[in-house]
Amino acid sequence: MKEVSFFELMLKAPKIMKNPLRFHNRKFNKLGDTFRIYLKPSYSVLFTRDHELTQQILQKAQKKYHKSPLQSEKLKFYLGGGLLTSNGTYWRQQRKLIQPSFYKKKLETVASIMRKVILDEISTIEKDLVFDVYNFTTDLAFKVVAKSLFGYTSDVATMKRMQYIIEKIQSDFMLEMRLPFLRWWREISGRRKETKQLSVELQGLIYNVIEARRHSGEAHDDLLDILLHSTYEDGTSMTNDQLVDEILILFVAGHETTSSALTFTLALLGKYSKIQDKVFTEVNNFSDNANHLMGLFEEATFTKQCIDESMRLFPPAYFTDRIAIEDDVYGNISINKHQEFLISFFEIHRNPKLWEDANAFKPERFSKDKIKNYSGIYYPFGAGPRMCVGSNFAIYEMLVTITEIVKKFEIISTNDQIEYKPLITLRPVNVNLKFKSRNH
């Protein structure tokens, strides 16, 4: 198997930090769909865009693989032991408890909360003003998560502080992941300790909200109420510490990925006016039933295709990782226990061997009669048992936001290219849009 040495990685570190996706693409094209990369002199991972190997790791032989120490230990250091960072028996127990809270029928209870937040945020858009839409979608997505979890917005200062800490943790963790050989500097400089202290502060803020809810005796019909009343098979429920871990993960995973996906989709609609016109036509034909969650999923079919295609081109969760917990075999590759993998969804989604006209925006790929063709090569929310638990939540949020914006505004792009920056998620950069009133 071909390799990227630690020396080469060190030599090219500044360029890789600037845009690692270009480096990944060059290496995949040169070395093949799976290659070994040395992140330290004695520590390597297998990096892959092989969709069949990905299916084996995430689905067919998923019991032989766990989340790697990158998430189960390093990310856990900052975000606690929730669904995203746990493994094994505890993960299965938590998944079984939490997943029903995000079924479509269950989400009907919070759908009206989500819709109101989104409409309130859209009402603040200034027409005919060019602005970076990512700041808008970030605030919107954060408020949707906060309201949906807590049923009310705590004082503005607390919410802003929580948002700042989450973004700081993500930024600092990204440095640790990209440049693991510089962790010693983060330790002696105190940077790692400072970030951990911020994490502890954030956990305390969430703990206080949970305690206040437990003692209030009030019902809010939000996700916190649902989680508080969810019980294990023995009839017990989550402790406050467990709730803190899970809510912290929902905040982190639930707002930045959605804001990125929303921004990319709005940018693409602004760039392709004919496709935007088709969304507008669909929205104008909505019945009153589309004001409800299930009805919107049924009627916004083309809008959903636009979101699907946007998340193919720009998957916010653009990679994942796994570690083998026992030996395995894939083709002529012998996989030893403890072997770590990095899986590039970004590369799988744009691989011309798998997708016709791979870099083009074609929502019709995901029409009802074609979508099955992509079941094994499309991973917007991961795959297998660890597929994102909040996918229905995210899609509904995006459907409401996009349909309501298109109903009210014509989206006009001022950029020739859609720029992005790969951090923990794939983040849009300089997406400057103008919203022109439709005057109807």
Side-chain angles (χ1 to χ4, degrees):
M1 184 179 297
K2 295 181 179 178
E3 300 178 348
V4 176
S5 69
F6 176 69
F7 175 75
E8 180 180 356
L9 191 70
M10 284 283 289
L11 196 64
K12 296 180 178 177
K15 286 185 177 180
I16 295 171
M17 279 296 294
K18 195 170 183 179
N19 191 339
L21 294 181
R22 288 181 184 170
F23 174 78
H24 299 166
N25 184 255
R26 285 197 299 270
K27 290 303 176 184
F28 278 123
N29 291 338
K30 181 180 179 181
L31 305 179
D33 287 345
T34 302
F35 60 86
R36 186 178 300 277
I37 184 167
Y38 281 86
L39 300 180
K40 294 179 182 178
S42 58
Y43 166 54
S44 70
V45 300
L46 294 185
F47 203 9
T48 188
R49 67 174 181 186
D50 184 322
H51 68 287
E52 292 181 340
L53 175 57
T54 298
Q55 286 180 48
Q56 174 150 330
I57 293 170
L58 299 184
Q59 294 172 289
K60 295 176 182 178
Q62 52 84 20
K63 290 184 179 179
K64 295 182 179 181
Y65 298 88
H66 275 176
K67 285 286 185 79
S68 80
L70 183 69
Q71 292 193 56
S72 59
E73 295 175 14
K74 294 184 175 70
L75 188 56
K76 185 177 181 178
F77 178 77
Y78 296 123
L79 298 183
L83 276 179
L84 183 66
T85 59
S86 58
N87 277 312
T89 302
Y90 182 75
W91 170 81
R92 286 191 291 273
Q93 166 193 290
Q94 292 302 97
R95 177 81 183 202
K96 188 175 182 180
L97 178 74
I98 293 167
Q99 186 166 356
S101 303
F102 290 90
Y103 291 157
K104 287 178 184 175
K105 288 186 178 179
K106 203 81 168 181
L107 285 175
E108 285 280 14
T109 61
V110 298
S112 58
I113 296 173
M114 297 169 70
R115 178 175 282 274
K116 185 179 185 308
V117 175
I118 292 166
L119 292 176
D120 286 346
E121 289 301 300
I122 291 174
S123 71
T124 67
I125 293 176
E126 293 187 50
K127 64 181 181 180
D128 299 324
L129 178 70
V130 176
F131 64 97
D132 188 341
V133 77
Y134 181 68
N135 295 325
F136 166 78
T137 60
T138 298
D139 284 343
L140 180 148
F142 189 86
K143 288 174 183 176
V144 167
V145 173
K147 275 265 192 176
S148 300
L149 277 167
F150 300 146
Y152 64 93
T153 302
S154 185
D155 65 279
V156 175
T158 299
M159 289 294 111
K160 286 289 185 184
R161 183 63 179 168
M162 290 173 71
Q163 190 170 354
Y164 165 78
I165 293 174
I166 288 170
E167 290 176 358
K168 186 74 168 67
I169 289 172
Q170 289 177 316
S171 175
D172 285 5
F173 177 72
M174 199 71 235
L175 283 175
E176 286 196 22
M177 187 180 74
R178 291 254 178 90
L179 302 173
F181 44 85
L182 291 183
R183 181 173 167 179
W184 64 271
W185 176 82
R186 288 180 52 75
E187 289 281 7
I188 65 171
S189 68
R191 288 282 300 276
R192 199 163 189 263
K193 183 178 179 181
E194 289 173 12
T195 306
K196 177 62 176 178
Q197 288 172 339
L198 287 174
S199 174
V200 171
E201 179 188 345
L202 179 59
Q203 290 168 337
L205 293 172
I206 296 172
Y207 190 97
N208 291 339
V209 173
I210 295 168
E211 273 290 281
R213 177 66 62 84
R214 283 196 189 277
H215 289 98
S216 72
E218 299 175 358
H220 291 268
D221 292 327
D222 55 17
L223 285 170
L224 179 55
D225 270 8
I226 294 172
L227 293 172
L228 281 168
H229 293 96
S230 298
T231 57
Y232 298 109
E233 291 180 352
D234 63 1
T236 61
S237 56
M238 280 190 280
T239 65
N240 280 7
D241 287 339
Q242 287 176 306
L243 280 165
V244 168
D245 284 348
E246 299 302 348
I247 287 171
L248 184 51
I249 292 296
L250 291 175
F251 259 121
V252 172
H255 95 277
E256 179 152 339
T257 53
T258 305
S259 64
S260 293
L262 265 175
T263 302
F264 285 126
T265 306
L266 291 169
L268 287 163
L269 292 177
K271 189 176 176 66
Y272 298 97
S273 58
K274 289 183 179 179
I275 294 175
Q276 183 183 162
D277 289 343
K278 288 185 70 174
V279 173
F280 179 63
T281 300
E282 180 173 81
V283 171
N284 269 352
N285 290 323
F286 279 172
S287 70
D288 290 341
N289 192 42
N291 290 323
H292 304 284
L293 183 144
M294 296 300 290
L296 187 61
F297 271 93
E298 290 168 5
E299 297 190 28
T301 54
F302 184 71
T303 307
K304 170 68 162 51
Q305 288 171 221
C306 292
I307 294 169
D308 289 340
E309 177 70 340
S310 170
M311 294 184 75
R312 180 187 72 83
L313 288 170
F314 303 103
Y318 63 100
F319 77 99
T320 193
D321 60 68
R322 290 294 187 272
I323 184 170
I325 58 172
E326 57 182 274
D327 293 343
D328 195 12
V329 177
Y330 167 72
N332 60 358
I333 300 176
S334 295
I335 300 169
N336 297 323
K337 184 179 179 180
H338 304 309
Q339 176 62 62
E340 293 186 40
F341 289 85
L342 285 174
I343 299 169
S344 176
F345 296 141
F346 186 92
E347 283 288 329
I348 293 173
H349 285 186
R350 288 173 177 254
N351 190 336
K353 293 183 287 187
L354 304 175
W355 304 85
E356 184 181 350
D357 208 1
N359 292 314
F361 180 57
K362 293 184 174 181
E364 61 271 17
R365 295 181 208 272
F366 293 96
S367 60
K368 192 174 182 180
D369 59 325
K370 295 178 181 177
I371 193 168
K372 288 183 180 179
N373 298 335
Y374 307 117
S375 60
I377 57 175
Y378 182 55
Y379 302 96
F381 295 102
R386 297 205 73 134
M387 183 173 172
C388 175
V389 72
S391 58
N392 287 328
F393 183 101
I395 292 295
Y396 178 70
E397 180 181 346
M398 288 189 276
L399 285 175
V400 174
T401 304
I402 291 164
T403 55
E404 291 296 333
I405 285 177
V406 170
K407 183 194 300 183
K408 190 173 181 180
F409 299 103
E410 178 187 354
I411 307 164
I412 301 170
S413 176
T414 63
N415 301 103
D416 293 328
Q417 300 292 327
I418 298 175
E419 300 177 43
Y420 49 84
K421 187 175 183 179
L423 299 174
I424 291 182
T425 60
L426 192 67
R427 181 179 292 183
V429 178
N430 300 323
V431 178
N432 298 307
L433 301 177
K434 181 167 70 173
F435 293 82
K436 180 181 177 183
S437 177
R438 291 191 182 269
N439 294 319
H440 65 85

